[in-house]
Amino acid sequence: MCRAAIIKGTFLLFVLLLHGQGSILAQRDTIYTDTLNLVEADLPKHSPTKATLYSTLVPGLGQAFNKKYWKIPIIYAGIGVCTFIAIDQNKLFEEKKTAYVNRVNGDSTDVFLELGNFFSNDALLRSMDINRRNRDLMIILGSAVYILQIVDAAVDAHLFYFNVSNDLSLHYKPYFDYDPRTGSTRQGLALNLNF
């Protein structure tokens, strides 16, 4: 029942993302040719909908569409590690489950009764629970990486032509103020933000 709710929630999130991307109206973009002159132009549109769809179909393809190639190995590493650990934890869970069922049925020839690898029935059940929990956690984390890379592709596509000029800067310098009435100085830090 919980798994069905997760699947429904994930589907609803994808539908909302795709619907929200299609309803955004395009506007004329502004290009800064230098610090004084603004030129309005019709830039070739970089579609957030395409980036979202590409990223949904193939993880990392939306990042390639946005020309953010350095993010692709991070995405595949996150999904790959989560998948590898989930498969490994599922294998351990199934081995312990089979051993426990065999013990309950009277067969005492499983690998978890050997001297160096001894598990009592209670320890075997607890270990099975830990393996199941770890497997489920890795599935959730892998799904989160997948969803985040879709959101990242959509946001990057929206900000593809975002202007970051040299005029955007933050300057800081020490601040000293002398008070002639008391004869004391005040120290601080002055921050100047230029847009």
Side-chain angles (χ1 to χ4, degrees):
M1 183 170 168
C2 181
R3 196 173 287 183
I6 292 173
I7 291 171
K8 286 180 185 177
T10 305
F11 178 73
L12 181 63
L13 179 66
F14 286 147
V15 170
L16 289 174
L17 278 173
L18 294 177
H19 176 68
Q21 298 301 324
S23 64
I24 295 173
L25 300 175
Q27 298 176 357
R28 292 179 62 86
D29 293 320
T30 303
I31 300 175
Y32 292 91
T33 56
D34 59 18
T35 57
L36 299 176
N37 298 328
L38 297 178
V39 176
E40 293 210 3
D42 287 321
L43 296 174
K45 298 299 176 198
H46 191 79
S47 174
T49 305
K50 279 186 182 179
T52 304
L53 286 175
Y54 289 164
S55 213
T56 302
L57 295 175
V58 178
L61 192 57
Q63 282 72 18
F65 179 72
N66 292 332
K67 297 180 180 19
K68 304 282 181 155
Y69 303 109
W70 64 272
K71 294 181 180 181
I72 297 171
I74 296 170
I75 292 167
Y76 278 101
I79 292 174
V81 166
C82 290
T83 303
F84 175 77
I85 294 173
I87 290 171
D88 185 52
Q89 291 296 313
N90 188 53
K91 181 179 142 204
L92 290 172
F93 170 74
E94 292 296 330
E95 287 176 359
K96 292 172 185 172
K97 180 180 170 185
T98 303
Y100 183 74
V101 168
N102 289 344
R103 282 187 194 178
V104 170
N105 291 336
D107 185 12
S108 61
T109 59
D110 62 77
V111 296
F112 298 105
L113 284 175
E114 295 174 359
L115 184 60
N117 198 19
F118 178 75
F119 281 96
S120 67
N121 286 348
D122 290 336
L124 197 56
L125 284 174
R126 282 192 305 271
S127 181
M128 282 172 42
D129 189 45
I130 290 170
N131 292 131
R132 180 177 46 237
R133 212 174 321 133
N134 288 342
R135 176 199 62 195
D136 294 346
L137 178 65
M138 287 300 116
I139 291 171
I140 291 169
L141 287 176
S143 300
V145 170
Y146 177 75
I147 291 169
L148 285 175
Q149 64 93 22
I150 294 171
V151 172
D152 175 67
V155 170
D156 271 347
H158 278 290
L159 299 176
F160 192 75
Y161 291 113
F162 184 72
N163 180 35
V164 180
S165 68
N166 292 332
D167 292 339
L168 297 174
S169 60
L170 175 68
H171 300 283
Y172 61 92
K173 59 183 175 181
Y175 172 77
F176 297 102
D177 186 27
Y178 177 73
D179 187 4
R181 291 181 299 158
T182 61
S184 64
T185 60
R186 292 182 290 178
Q187 299 88 18
L189 188 65
L191 299 174
N192 295 326
L193 181 62
N194 296 328
F195 294 102

